[in-house]
Amino acid sequence: MKAVAYRTPGPIDREDALQDITLGTPKAEGRDLLVKVNAVSVNPVDTKLRRAVAQEGGEWRVLGFDAAGVVEAVGAEVQDFKPGDAVFYAGALDRPGTNSEYHLVDERIVGRKPATLTDAQAAALPLTSITAWEMLFDRLEVKRPTPQGGNMILVIGGAGGVGSITIQLLRTLTDLTVIATASRPETQDWVRECGAHHVVNHREPLAPQVEALGLGAPGFVFSTTHTGRHLADIVELIAPQGRFGLIDDPDELNAMPLKLKAVSLHWELMFTRSLFGTPDMAEQGKLLSEVAALVDAGRIRSTVTEVAGKIDAATLLAVHARIESGSARGKIVLEGF
């Protein structure tokens, strides 16, 4: 089968940063599905791994997490899927990725593809939807108000893949007032289209801008990017006894300034459940099915902004470079081999 992979981690401008290769087609066993991959999207985690993580023994590492496709075969212990089912999912951190014609994935982290979306539209959703859902409802518990500012949330990085679906989930599943950050006219327009009530510029100090809205201090802050840069502002603007969550990787994070306001700190990594085989691992498949139902009911929409081309090394190199530049809006997807 065709695949895109690398052996040596490093910057995107190397000739061997990503390569087209041929691998054997894997076999579905246990609770695994063998999925014929029709479309994938690219996430920041792909670029982080390509830059820094080598495969043991110098073997090929296939990247890619989001995928939409059709079940080709199932393992003997599979309970909920059969060949021919259209699915979408976000894969696992410790297994080969979705940048391949066929891919193995545990059925517990798989959802049925929204019927109203194309494969490309569906491939934009899984990783970001799981990340946003788990942060909002499992970590920050946004449906449990904080004593002060409990009806308001600040989403930092509102135009990215996670931010885009976070805003939509908040608008359709909660009554929270949503403040989102974006810095360019086109990204500010995008977050408003996604449903943000208010937009502030993350290239300028956030605390004065939030205060100027005249709404009071938000009880919740969800930072998707550049948390280290914004931490002092977050501490200043969040309400006492608020809840603060992040998903990026700041060089350092001093939590001591959160103590005075008794602010709780929450990390989210959507790969945790599959990486540790947690007892609630199947919750990811369930929430993807709920996301699909929301899409098919017209309550949320795909965050795809561009179909960049076929799933090959040249196209993936270009998309990785776009994501590393920080200029991407929504999700970029690739379709077909």
Side-chain angles (χ1 to χ4, degrees):
M1 66 175 183
K2 295 179 181 178
V4 181
Y6 72 94
R7 276 200 170 108
T8 305
I12 195 67
D13 56 1
R14 292 175 27 246
E15 289 186 4
D16 61 347
L18 291 171
Q19 299 182 60
D20 293 308
I21 64 169
T22 300
L23 297 172
T25 302
K27 180 182 178 181
E29 298 177 342
R31 299 198 69 173
D32 277 349
L33 311 176
L34 178 66
V35 176
K36 183 180 186 299
V37 175
N38 292 332
V40 301
S41 77
V42 185
N43 292 281
V45 64
D46 294 277
T47 67
K48 292 174 185 176
L49 291 171
R50 192 214 72 246
R51 288 196 303 265
V53 179
Q55 192 78 345
E56 290 185 10
E59 297 297 317
W60 291 108
R61 177 160 190 147
V62 179
L63 293 172
F65 296 98
D66 281 324
V70 176
V71 177
E72 184 84 4
V74 300
E77 299 173 24
V78 168
Q79 302 170 12
D80 297 324
F81 295 91
K82 63 184 186 305
D85 286 344
V87 296
F88 74 145
Y89 59 91
L93 193 62
D94 57 345
R95 303 188 70 175
T98 58
N99 293 337
S100 58
E101 286 187 281
Y102 295 92
H103 182 251
L104 288 178
V105 60
D106 190 300
E107 68 164 337
R108 289 170 288 182
I109 59 173
V110 175
R112 283 179 167 76
K113 183 182 81 68
T116 56
L117 296 187
T118 65
D119 286 313
Q121 292 168 329
L125 288 172
L127 186 148
T128 56
S129 294
I130 295 170
T131 300
W133 191 291
E134 290 184 349
M135 176 60 86
L136 295 177
F137 305 116
D138 297 339
R139 314 287 175 246
L140 294 179
E141 297 182 87
V142 296
K143 290 189 175 182
R144 179 173 64 88
T146 59
Q148 180 181 343
N151 201 46
M152 186 163 45
I153 185 169
L154 171 66
V155 180
I156 298 174
V162 173
S164 300
I165 196 64
T166 294
I167 295 167
Q168 292 189 66
L169 290 174
L170 285 164
R171 288 304 309 271
T172 197
L173 297 177
T174 80
D175 63 354
L176 269 66
T177 296
V178 180
I179 307 168
T181 80
S183 60
R184 307 192 311 274
E186 60 269 28
T187 54
Q188 291 174 349
D189 289 343
W190 171 256
V191 298
R192 289 189 180 97
E193 289 175 22
C194 289
H197 294 95
H198 305 276
V199 182
V200 297
N201 188 344
H202 51 234
R203 303 244 180 231
E204 300 174 6
L206 292 176
Q209 295 180 78
V210 171
E211 183 180 6
L213 294 174
L215 304 172
F220 304 100
V221 174
F222 178 12
S223 180
T224 71
T225 186
H226 297 302
T227 299
R229 180 194 305 169
H230 300 301
L231 185 58
D233 267 321
I234 292 167
V235 173
E236 181 179 348
L237 67 85
I238 196 169
Q241 302 180 80
R243 301 183 203 124
F244 162 44
L246 69 154
I247 58 171
D248 62 327
D249 304 302
D251 291 335
E252 60 179 31
L253 184 72
N254 179 11
M256 284 302 296
L258 301 174
K259 181 178 181 180
L260 189 63
K261 288 186 174 180
V263 170
S264 58
L265 175 64
H266 305 265
W267 286 93
E268 161 60 19
L269 180 67
M270 62 132 293
F271 298 116
T272 296
R273 281 169 158 157
S274 58
L275 190 61
F276 292 95
T278 61
D280 62 350
M281 182 171 159
E283 290 300 312
Q284 291 194 339
K286 293 177 183 176
L287 77 82
L288 283 176
S289 294
E290 292 191 51
V291 168
L294 291 171
V295 170
D296 289 338
R299 299 178 65 188
I300 62 174
R301 60 187 175 90
S302 173
T303 54
V304 62
T305 52
E306 179 184 346
V307 180
K310 298 292 185 182
I311 305 169
D312 58 30
T315 309
L316 279 165
L317 282 168
V319 176
H320 274 231
R322 283 270 303 282
I323 290 179
E324 290 180 349
S325 75
S327 64
R329 174 175 59 90
K331 293 302 294 293
I332 303 173
V333 303
L334 293 79
E335 186 172 27
F337 283 85

